[in-house]
Amino acid sequence: MPAVLYCHGFLSSPQSTKALQVKRWLTQHRPQWQYICPELSAYPSEAKATLQQIMQEFVHTNETLYCIGSSLGGYWATWLTEYYNVRSVLVNPAVAPHMRFQHFLGQTLKSYYSTQTYILEAKDLQCLQDHDCPTIKRAQNYYVLLQTGDETLDYRDAQARYMRCKMRVEVGGNHSFEYFDRHLDVIIQFFESSEKPPV
């Protein structure tokens, strides 16, 4: 059976609004599908290891895995798409986060959903840079959702990077992507519209 892997954003968690909306929608409309939403560390090497473990499990089972990534989760979903050839939906994805996160170095950062704290070092930014995908080679595998009112990221960065991909740009909105749940029908249709790509 297919599975949906949801990658939450930086300092977010599986308890985020969009993550819970995806889980609820699948429970109601695709109860046979598996829903996976791991807690992704703000430390890039740990987040990568978590995602690699999940992907390795699916490579061995030969099951179909789709991905939804929001913000920094969109960055990780891009890496999964380019490296493992999965089909992904990106929601206001982060572009070149190693550049944006410079001002976080040495600061104590707290999760939005727990008491967990993080302090990023130069090696963390290097990890993000090492796994960045400035050239999109699997454009047919993406559906990108952007809102111009994103107060955290400039939507034009993602619009440029994913210009060859299926894309919807909505005027207004915010970084959380207003009314995301209204797009879930179309997102699942996108996943179901193609054969499983080879891993």
Side-chain angles (χ1 to χ4, degrees), residues 59 62 81 83-86 138 140-141 195-199:
V59 167
N62 203 37
T81 301
Y83 191 83
Y84 292 99
N85 198 18
V86 300
R138 303 185 188 275
Q140 72 280 2
N141 285 19
E195 297 294 328
K196 176 188 175 184
V199 175

Side-chain angles (χ1 to χ4, degrees), residues 37-114:
C37 186
E39 185 98 35
L40 295 177
S41 173
Y43 294 124
S45 59
E46 294 180 12
K48 174 194 170 185
T50 297
L51 294 172
Q52 278 184 315
Q53 181 177 357
I54 291 170
M55 293 309 303
Q56 287 167 2
E57 292 172 0
F58 272 85
V59 167
H60 292 306
T61 62
N62 203 37
E63 295 289 348
T64 303
L65 180 70
Y66 303 117
C67 188
I68 300 174
S70 173
S71 192
L72 189 63
Y75 157 88
W76 285 118
T78 299
W79 175 69
L80 291 174
T81 301
E82 296 298 318
Y83 191 83
Y84 292 99
N85 198 18
V86 300
R87 199 163 175 84
S88 292
V89 171
L90 312 182
V91 185
N92 286 335
V95 172
H98 56 283
M99 302 293 292
R100 295 189 55 85
F101 283 10
Q102 292 282 347
H103 65 285
F104 286 147
L105 287 176
Q107 294 186 31
T108 300
L109 306 171
K110 183 180 177 299
S111 167
Y112 298 128
Y113 292 87
S114 73

Side-chain angles (χ1 to χ4, degrees), residues 144-155:
V144 183
L145 298 173
L146 304 174
Q147 288 188 335
T148 64
D150 188 335
E151 71 283 3
T152 301
L153 303 173
D154 188 335
Y155 79 96

Side-chain angles (χ1 to χ4, degrees), residues 9 33 43 49 75 88 116 140 153 166-168 182 185:
W33 286 29
Y43 294 124
Y75 157 88
S88 292
Q116 179 71 47
Q140 72 280 2
L153 303 173
K166 177 180 174 69
M167 184 180 298
R168 179 182 178 89
R182 297 181 183 178
D185 280 334

Side-chain angles (χ1 to χ4, degrees), residues 115-180:
T115 58
Q116 179 71 47
T117 59
Y118 305 88
I119 300 178
L120 297 184
E121 301 177 10
K123 65 179 181 180
D124 298 309
L125 301 192
Q126 186 62 52
C127 182
L128 289 174
Q129 183 174 354
D130 290 344
H131 296 87
D132 193 27
C133 301
T135 302
I136 300 303
K137 299 178 181 178
R138 303 185 188 275
Q140 72 280 2
N141 285 19
Y142 295 90
Y143 179 29
V144 183
L145 298 173
L146 304 174
Q147 288 188 335
T148 64
D150 188 335
E151 71 283 3
T152 301
L153 303 173
D154 188 335
Y155 79 96
R156 293 169 295 187
D157 293 337
Q159 189 178 38
R161 175 164 293 194
Y162 301 97
M163 62 184 297
R164 297 188 299 112
C165 306
K166 177 180 174 69
M167 184 180 298
R168 179 182 178 89
V169 181
E170 295 186 349
V171 176
N174 55 35
H175 184 59
S176 294
F177 202 94
E178 288 184 344
Y179 308 115
F180 167 74

